[in-house]
Amino acid sequence: MIEEKIKERALLLMRLYWRDEIFRIGKELKIPYFDQFKDYWDIDHFQGALEISKKIKDDELLKIVEKNPPKYISLGGFQGKYYTVTEEGEIRLESSWNSVRGNVHKVLENQGDRGYAILQAIINKGGRATYFEIVDEIEEILGKPYIPSYLLPRLQPLKLVFKTGSRRYPDWTMPPEIIPVVKEELAKYKNLGKKIQVTSEETISTREEISFQVLRSDQRIAKIADEIAQKRREINLIFANKFGVKLFKDNEMAILDIRRLCANEDEFNNRIQAITTLIDEMNVEGLKKLVADRNLTGTINILEAFLEEHFPGYSKEIITNFRNIVRLRSKKYPIHRDDPKFIDSLKHFGFRTYPPDWGELWEVVLKKYLESLKLLKERIEK
């Protein structure tokens, strides 16, 4: 087992220096681990820091930091059991854990179960989690939903949790060096079984709830769209290997369009146009060479003939989903909205009344398209 102080020193080095500097320092110290690598990108960041940590003592650590001032320090410095680093880069051979304990106590005293749930949720996810992962984990912990949008940002000044990652897809991160002491304090709180009333500050407004639902929908749609793009790539690889042609043509604009939310009928018309473009733009000429009837027309008809000839027993849902998606476009406008074929397609997607919830319908359409791609991939790769 790695000695506790050596491991913390490695975490400290990782906080102060990125891979390139760890690589350079390791080379300067003539540590054998680094001899096997030609470039810093090839090293494991933690392992490299750990090898240096094993080699040096505290006085050598101070000399390294003095010689190599950190360019940037994330997560509010370093709050370890043995080492402390300020946000300005000043390093001290002392513990920060009493301060961390005090900040955890503030959260628990002021926020009670909700503060406990947020901190425990992030720890349960390994110390780093997306907003929605935290929301889901909080519900597991509390047994009821809680939207942490009010409280999460208020943990950052206490240096317990920091917003990290990209602007579009941020994470919330607890500095790894404080996780052990935070876990200790949370365990004590849980054993007390203390409960507090929800304060007015914790009440979630209707606007926040709506914003949360929009963010959640955006996340779901983006995830489905990413899966669609990945499955199309996988199918193209299989087709290229087996038949010498790619099934799908590249269309980045359409892929970008299907990632967007749908809030009303007009937006649905635009989105359905994008996804039917992805269906229509198959490699028709390449497929025709693989079927008996070269005079066949219609992308879906040609794909259906190909599957019938080469993969009998394939799931009919592949074609059914594609046809109903296309029908939503061709029978939606300018044909009258009560066209029987349009209503039949709505029923296929689980909607019995008109108008449907356009946002929900769009999400179901994406899922059905993805379902067809998955079924297609499963069949052709056998």
Side-chain angles (χ1 to χ4, degrees), residues 117-142:
I118 291 175
L119 295 174
Q120 190 63 59
I122 295 173
I123 289 174
N124 289 355
K125 302 305 291 186
R128 181 171 181 168
T130 66
Y131 179 77
F132 293 106
E133 287 174 336
I134 294 170
V135 169
D136 292 340
E137 193 65 27
I138 286 174
E139 187 167 357
E140 288 290 321
I141 293 168
L142 293 179

PDB file of all heavy atoms in Angstrom, residues 117-142:
ATOM      1  N   ALA A 117     -26.076  15.734   1.274  1.00  0.00           N
ATOM      2  CA  ALA A 117     -26.351  14.956   0.062  1.00  0.00           C
ATOM      3  C   ALA A 117     -25.479  15.400  -1.106  1.00  0.00           C
ATOM      4  O   ALA A 117     -24.987  14.565  -1.873  1.00  0.00           O
ATOM      5  CB  ALA A 117     -27.827  15.076  -0.308  1.00  0.00           C
ATOM      6  N   ILE A 118     -25.273  16.706  -1.253  1.00  0.00           N
ATOM      7  CA  ILE A 118     -24.445  17.193  -2.362  1.00  0.00           C
ATOM      8  C   ILE A 118     -23.006  16.712  -2.213  1.00  0.00           C
ATOM      9  O   ILE A 118     -22.403  16.183  -3.155  1.00  0.00           O
ATOM     10  CB  ILE A 118     -24.484  18.730  -2.440  1.00  0.00           C
ATOM     11  CG1 ILE A 118     -25.876  19.201  -2.878  1.00  0.00           C
ATOM     12  CG2 ILE A 118     -23.433  19.252  -3.424  1.00  0.00           C
ATOM     13  CD1 ILE A 118     -26.041  20.710  -2.866  1.00  0.00           C
ATOM     14  N   LEU A 119     -22.445  16.891  -1.024  1.00  0.00           N
ATOM     15  CA  LEU A 119     -21.055  16.475  -0.804  1.00  0.00           C
ATOM     16  C   LEU A 119     -20.902  14.963  -0.956  1.00  0.00           C
ATOM     17  O   LEU A 119     -19.956  14.479  -1.585  1.00  0.00           O
ATOM     18  CB  LEU A 119     -20.593  16.920   0.582  1.00  0.00           C
ATOM     19  CG  LEU A 119     -20.503  18.437   0.804  1.00  0.00           C
ATOM     20  CD1 LEU A 119     -20.176  18.743   2.262  1.00  0.00           C
ATOM     21  CD2 LEU A 119     -19.460  19.064  -0.112  1.00  0.00           C
ATOM     22  N   GLN A 120     -21.852  14.216  -0.391  1.00  0.00           N
ATOM     23  CA  GLN A 120     -21.773  12.757  -0.476  1.00  0.00           C
ATOM     24  C   GLN A 120     -21.970  12.281  -1.916  1.00  0.00           C
ATOM     25  O   GLN A 120     -21.329  11.315  -2.355  1.00  0.00           O
ATOM     26  CB  GLN A 120     -22.837  12.121   0.425  1.00  0.00           C
ATOM     27  CG  GLN A 120     -22.687  10.613   0.590  1.00  0.00           C
ATOM     28  CD  GLN A 120     -21.385  10.235   1.284  1.00  0.00           C
ATOM     29  OE1 GLN A 120     -21.118  10.652   2.403  1.00  0.00           O
ATOM     30  NE2 GLN A 120     -20.561   9.450   0.605  1.00  0.00           N
ATOM     31  N   ALA A 121     -22.838  12.962  -2.653  1.00  0.00           N
ATOM     32  CA  ALA A 121     -23.085  12.583  -4.052  1.00  0.00           C
ATOM     33  C   ALA A 121     -21.812  12.706  -4.877  1.00  0.00           C
ATOM     34  O   ALA A 121     -21.482  11.817  -5.677  1.00  0.00           O
ATOM     35  CB  ALA A 121     -24.188  13.456  -4.641  1.00  0.00           C
ATOM     36  N   ILE A 122     -21.086  13.799  -4.701  1.00  0.00           N
ATOM     37  CA  ILE A 122     -19.854  14.006  -5.468  1.00  0.00           C
ATOM     38  C   ILE A 122     -18.801  12.972  -5.072  1.00  0.00           C
ATOM     39  O   ILE A 122     -18.088  12.435  -5.926  1.00  0.00           O
ATOM     40  CB  ILE A 122     -19.337  15.443  -5.271  1.00  0.00           C
ATOM     41  CG1 ILE A 122     -20.342  16.435  -5.864  1.00  0.00           C
ATOM     42  CG2 ILE A 122     -17.966  15.630  -5.921  1.00  0.00           C
ATOM     43  CD1 ILE A 122     -20.035  17.885  -5.579  1.00  0.00           C
ATOM     44  N   ILE A 123     -18.719  12.665  -3.791  1.00  0.00           N
ATOM     45  CA  ILE A 123     -17.783  11.629  -3.342  1.00  0.00           C
ATOM     46  C   ILE A 123     -18.169  10.276  -3.934  1.00  0.00           C
ATOM     47  O   ILE A 123     -17.314   9.518  -4.407  1.00  0.00           O
ATOM     48  CB  ILE A 123     -17.747  11.564  -1.800  1.00  0.00           C
ATOM     49  CG1 ILE A 123     -17.054  12.809  -1.241  1.00  0.00           C
ATOM     50  CG2 ILE A 123     -17.026  10.302  -1.327  1.00  0.00           C
ATOM     51  CD1 ILE A 123     -17.093  12.914   0.267  1.00  0.00           C
ATOM     52  N   ASN A 124     -19.465   9.972  -3.917  1.00  0.00           N
ATOM     53  CA  ASN A 124     -19.933   8.691  -4.469  1.00  0.00           C
ATOM     54  C   ASN A 124     -19.589   8.536  -5.942  1.00  0.00           C
ATOM     55  O   ASN A 124     -19.405   7.419  -6.433  1.00  0.00           O
ATOM     56  CB  ASN A 124     -21.446   8.558  -4.294  1.00  0.00           C
ATOM     57  CG  ASN A 124     -21.854   8.346  -2.849  1.00  0.00           C
ATOM     58  OD1 ASN A 124     -21.011   8.208  -1.962  1.00  0.00           O
ATOM     59  ND2 ASN A 124     -23.154   8.341  -2.596  1.00  0.00           N
ATOM     60  N   LYS A 125     -19.513   9.660  -6.654  1.00  0.00           N
ATOM     61  CA  LYS A 125     -19.189   9.625  -8.084  1.00  0.00           C
ATOM     62  C   LYS A 125     -17.690   9.709  -8.329  1.00  0.00           C
ATOM     63  O   LYS A 125     -17.247   9.919  -9.458  1.00  0.00           O
ATOM     64  CB  LYS A 125     -19.903  10.760  -8.823  1.00  0.00           C
ATOM     65  CG  LYS A 125     -21.419  10.764  -8.685  1.00  0.00           C
ATOM     66  CD  LYS A 125     -22.069   9.458  -9.090  1.00  0.00           C
ATOM     67  CE  LYS A 125     -21.982   9.206 -10.570  1.00  0.00           C
ATOM     68  NZ  LYS A 125     -22.746   8.000 -10.971  1.00  0.00           N
ATOM     69  N   GLY A 126     -16.899   9.537  -7.280  1.00  0.00           N
ATOM     70  CA  GLY A 126     -15.452   9.513  -7.449  1.00  0.00           C
ATOM     71  C   GLY A 126     -14.776  10.856  -7.298  1.00  0.00           C
ATOM     72  O   GLY A 126     -13.600  11.008  -7.634  1.00  0.00           O
ATOM     73  N   GLY A 127     -15.515  11.855  -6.807  1.00  0.00           N
ATOM     74  CA  GLY A 127     -14.924  13.173  -6.593  1.00  0.00           C
ATOM     75  C   GLY A 127     -15.161  14.150  -7.723  1.00  0.00           C
ATOM     76  O   GLY A 127     -14.836  15.335  -7.602  1.00  0.00           O
ATOM     77  N   ARG A 128     -15.753  13.669  -8.813  1.00  0.00           N
ATOM     78  CA  ARG A 128     -16.037  14.553  -9.951  1.00  0.00           C
ATOM     79  C   ARG A 128     -17.291  14.060 -10.648  1.00  0.00           C
ATOM     80  O   ARG A 128     -17.421  12.870 -10.929  1.00  0.00           O
ATOM     81  CB  ARG A 128     -14.862  14.567 -10.922  1.00  0.00           C
ATOM     82  CG  ARG A 128     -15.064  15.477 -12.127  1.00  0.00           C
ATOM     83  CD  ARG A 128     -13.786  15.604 -12.931  1.00  0.00           C
ATOM     84  NE  ARG A 128     -13.945  16.491 -14.070  1.00  0.00           N
ATOM     85  CZ  ARG A 128     -12.948  16.959 -14.799  1.00  0.00           C
ATOM     86  NH1 ARG A 128     -11.701  16.624 -14.501  1.00  0.00           N
ATOM     87  NH2 ARG A 128     -13.170  17.764 -15.820  1.00  0.00           N
ATOM     88  N   ALA A 129     -18.222  14.979 -10.920  1.00  0.00           N
ATOM     89  CA  ALA A 129     -19.483  14.561 -11.527  1.00  0.00           C
ATOM     90  C   ALA A 129     -20.115  15.717 -12.278  1.00  0.00           C
ATOM     91  O   ALA A 129     -19.874  16.882 -11.974  1.00  0.00           O
ATOM     92  CB  ALA A 129     -20.446  14.060 -10.446  1.00  0.00           C
ATOM     93  N   THR A 130     -20.933  15.375 -13.268  1.00  0.00           N
ATOM     94  CA  THR A 130     -21.713  16.390 -13.958  1.00  0.00           C
ATOM     95  C   THR A 130     -22.883  16.803 -13.069  1.00  0.00           C
ATOM     96  O   THR A 130     -23.219  16.126 -12.092  1.00  0.00           O
ATOM     97  CB  THR A 130     -22.269  15.858 -15.286  1.00  0.00           C
ATOM     98  OG1 THR A 130     -23.221  14.811 -15.007  1.00  0.00           O
ATOM     99  CG2 THR A 130     -21.154  15.308 -16.168  1.00  0.00           C
ATOM    100  N   TYR A 131     -23.501  17.900 -13.433  1.00  0.00           N
ATOM    101  CA  TYR A 131     -24.640  18.404 -12.665  1.00  0.00           C
ATOM    102  C   TYR A 131     -25.741  17.348 -12.564  1.00  0.00           C
ATOM    103  O   TYR A 131     -26.284  17.103 -11.483  1.00  0.00           O
ATOM    104  CB  TYR A 131     -25.174  19.668 -13.339  1.00  0.00           C
ATOM    105  CG  TYR A 131     -26.364  20.284 -12.649  1.00  0.00           C
ATOM    106  CD1 TYR A 131     -26.210  21.029 -11.489  1.00  0.00           C
ATOM    107  CD2 TYR A 131     -27.650  20.119 -13.164  1.00  0.00           C
ATOM    108  CE1 TYR A 131     -27.300  21.596 -10.853  1.00  0.00           C
ATOM    109  CE2 TYR A 131     -28.745  20.684 -12.536  1.00  0.00           C
ATOM    110  CZ  TYR A 131     -28.567  21.423 -11.382  1.00  0.00           C
ATOM    111  OH  TYR A 131     -29.656  21.976 -10.753  1.00  0.00           O
ATOM    112  N   PHE A 132     -26.045  16.702 -13.676  1.00  0.00           N
ATOM    113  CA  PHE A 132     -27.151  15.745 -13.665  1.00  0.00           C
ATOM    114  C   PHE A 132     -26.785  14.452 -12.947  1.00  0.00           C
ATOM    115  O   PHE A 132     -27.648  13.795 -12.365  1.00  0.00           O
ATOM    116  CB  PHE A 132     -27.617  15.472 -15.094  1.00  0.00           C
ATOM    117  CG  PHE A 132     -28.243  16.681 -15.734  1.00  0.00           C
ATOM    118  CD1 PHE A 132     -27.566  17.403 -16.698  1.00  0.00           C
ATOM    119  CD2 PHE A 132     -29.485  17.119 -15.333  1.00  0.00           C
ATOM    120  CE1 PHE A 132     -28.130  18.530 -17.268  1.00  0.00           C
ATOM    121  CE2 PHE A 132     -30.062  18.248 -15.894  1.00  0.00           C
ATOM    122  CZ  PHE A 132     -29.382  18.954 -16.864  1.00  0.00           C
ATOM    123  N   GLU A 133     -25.517  14.084 -12.977  1.00  0.00           N
ATOM    124  CA  GLU A 133     -25.085  12.934 -12.174  1.00  0.00           C
ATOM    125  C   GLU A 133     -25.258  13.237 -10.690  1.00  0.00           C
ATOM    126  O   GLU A 133     -25.659  12.363  -9.909  1.00  0.00           O
ATOM    127  CB  GLU A 133     -23.626  12.601 -12.483  1.00  0.00           C
ATOM    128  CG  GLU A 133     -23.413  11.952 -13.838  1.00  0.00           C
ATOM    129  CD  GLU A 133     -21.948  11.769 -14.188  1.00  0.00           C
ATOM    130  OE1 GLU A 133     -21.099  12.514 -13.644  1.00  0.00           O
ATOM    131  OE2 GLU A 133     -21.642  10.890 -15.014  1.00  0.00           O
ATOM    132  N   ILE A 134     -24.971  14.472 -10.311  1.00  0.00           N
ATOM    133  CA  ILE A 134     -25.160  14.878  -8.912  1.00  0.00           C
ATOM    134  C   ILE A 134     -26.639  14.847  -8.550  1.00  0.00           C
ATOM    135  O   ILE A 134     -27.023  14.352  -7.482  1.00  0.00           O
ATOM    136  CB  ILE A 134     -24.570  16.283  -8.674  1.00  0.00           C
ATOM    137  CG1 ILE A 134     -23.048  16.255  -8.852  1.00  0.00           C
ATOM    138  CG2 ILE A 134     -24.917  16.791  -7.276  1.00  0.00           C
ATOM    139  CD1 ILE A 134     -22.399  17.623  -8.870  1.00  0.00           C
ATOM    140  N   VAL A 135     -27.479  15.369  -9.438  1.00  0.00           N
ATOM    141  CA  VAL A 135     -28.927  15.371  -9.193  1.00  0.00           C
ATOM    142  C   VAL A 135     -29.438  13.950  -8.974  1.00  0.00           C
ATOM    143  O   VAL A 135     -30.185  13.674  -8.029  1.00  0.00           O
ATOM    144  CB  VAL A 135     -29.669  16.033 -10.374  1.00  0.00           C
ATOM    145  CG1 VAL A 135     -31.179  15.807 -10.258  1.00  0.00           C
ATOM    146  CG2 VAL A 135     -29.371  17.525 -10.421  1.00  0.00           C
ATOM    147  N   ASP A 136     -29.028  13.037  -9.849  1.00  0.00           N
ATOM    148  CA  ASP A 136     -29.482  11.641  -9.734  1.00  0.00           C
ATOM    149  C   ASP A 136     -28.981  10.996  -8.445  1.00  0.00           C
ATOM    150  O   ASP A 136     -29.713  10.256  -7.778  1.00  0.00           O
ATOM    151  CB  ASP A 136     -28.997  10.833 -10.938  1.00  0.00           C
ATOM    152  CG  ASP A 136     -29.679  11.254 -12.236  1.00  0.00           C
ATOM    153  OD1 ASP A 136     -30.755  11.869 -12.161  1.00  0.00           O
ATOM    154  OD2 ASP A 136     -29.127  10.975 -13.316  1.00  0.00           O
ATOM    155  N   GLU A 137     -27.729  11.274  -8.098  1.00  0.00           N
ATOM    156  CA  GLU A 137     -27.147  10.669  -6.892  1.00  0.00           C
ATOM    157  C   GLU A 137     -27.788  11.241  -5.633  1.00  0.00           C
ATOM    158  O   GLU A 137     -28.000  10.519  -4.648  1.00  0.00           O
ATOM    159  CB  GLU A 137     -25.636  10.900  -6.875  1.00  0.00           C
ATOM    160  CG  GLU A 137     -24.878  10.066  -5.856  1.00  0.00           C
ATOM    161  CD  GLU A 137     -24.929   8.577  -6.144  1.00  0.00           C
ATOM    162  OE1 GLU A 137     -25.076   8.195  -7.322  1.00  0.00           O
ATOM    163  OE2 GLU A 137     -24.830   7.790  -5.173  1.00  0.00           O
ATOM    164  N   ILE A 138     -28.106  12.527  -5.650  1.00  0.00           N
ATOM    165  CA  ILE A 138     -28.790  13.147  -4.510  1.00  0.00           C
ATOM    166  C   ILE A 138     -30.132  12.462  -4.257  1.00  0.00           C
ATOM    167  O   ILE A 138     -30.505  12.193  -3.108  1.00  0.00           O
ATOM    168  CB  ILE A 138     -28.995  14.659  -4.757  1.00  0.00           C
ATOM    169  CG1 ILE A 138     -27.672  15.406  -4.599  1.00  0.00           C
ATOM    170  CG2 ILE A 138     -30.036  15.237  -3.792  1.00  0.00           C
ATOM    171  CD1 ILE A 138     -27.739  16.873  -4.970  1.00  0.00           C
ATOM    172  N   GLU A 139     -30.847  12.177  -5.336  1.00  0.00           N
ATOM    173  CA  GLU A 139     -32.144  11.516  -5.178  1.00  0.00           C
ATOM    174  C   GLU A 139     -31.984  10.129  -4.562  1.00  0.00           C
ATOM    175  O   GLU A 139     -32.812   9.692  -3.756  1.00  0.00           O
ATOM    176  CB  GLU A 139     -32.857  11.422  -6.526  1.00  0.00           C
ATOM    177  CG  GLU A 139     -34.277  10.902  -6.410  1.00  0.00           C
ATOM    178  CD  GLU A 139     -35.091  11.101  -7.673  1.00  0.00           C
ATOM    179  OE1 GLU A 139     -34.567  11.706  -8.633  1.00  0.00           O
ATOM    180  OE2 GLU A 139     -36.251  10.659  -7.698  1.00  0.00           O
ATOM    181  N   GLU A 140     -30.901   9.437  -4.930  1.00  0.00           N
ATOM    182  CA  GLU A 140     -30.620   8.131  -4.325  1.00  0.00           C
ATOM    183  C   GLU A 140     -30.348   8.281  -2.830  1.00  0.00           C
ATOM    184  O   GLU A 140     -30.771   7.460  -2.021  1.00  0.00           O
ATOM    185  CB  GLU A 140     -29.407   7.486  -5.007  1.00  0.00           C
ATOM    186  CG  GLU A 140     -29.663   6.982  -6.412  1.00  0.00           C
ATOM    187  CD  GLU A 140     -30.574   5.771  -6.417  1.00  0.00           C
ATOM    188  OE1 GLU A 140     -30.431   4.915  -5.520  1.00  0.00           O
ATOM    189  OE2 GLU A 140     -31.443   5.690  -7.308  1.00  0.00           O
ATOM    190  N   ILE A 141     -29.639   9.325  -2.461  1.00  0.00           N
ATOM    191  CA  ILE A 141     -29.245   9.530  -1.065  1.00  0.00           C
ATOM    192  C   ILE A 141     -30.423   9.987  -0.209  1.00  0.00           C
ATOM    193  O   ILE A 141     -30.659   9.466   0.885  1.00  0.00           O
ATOM    194  CB  ILE A 141     -28.095  10.559  -0.983  1.00  0.00           C
ATOM    195  CG1 ILE A 141     -26.825   9.981  -1.629  1.00  0.00           C
ATOM    196  CG2 ILE A 141     -27.813  10.959   0.466  1.00  0.00           C
ATOM    197  CD1 ILE A 141     -25.733  11.004  -1.866  1.00  0.00           C
ATOM    198  N   LEU A 142     -31.169  10.970  -0.714  1.00  0.00           N
ATOM    199  CA  LEU A 142     -32.264  11.552   0.068  1.00  0.00           C
ATOM    200  C   LEU A 142     -33.574  10.784  -0.064  1.00  0.00           C
ATOM    201  O   LEU A 142     -34.460  10.912   0.772  1.00  0.00           O
ATOM    202  CB  LEU A 142     -32.500  13.006  -0.360  1.00  0.00           C
ATOM    203  CG  LEU A 142     -31.398  14.018  -0.056  1.00  0.00           C
ATOM    204  CD1 LEU A 142     -31.803  15.397  -0.564  1.00  0.00           C
ATOM    205  CD2 LEU A 142     -31.100  14.080   1.441  1.00  0.00           C
TER     206      LEU A 142
END
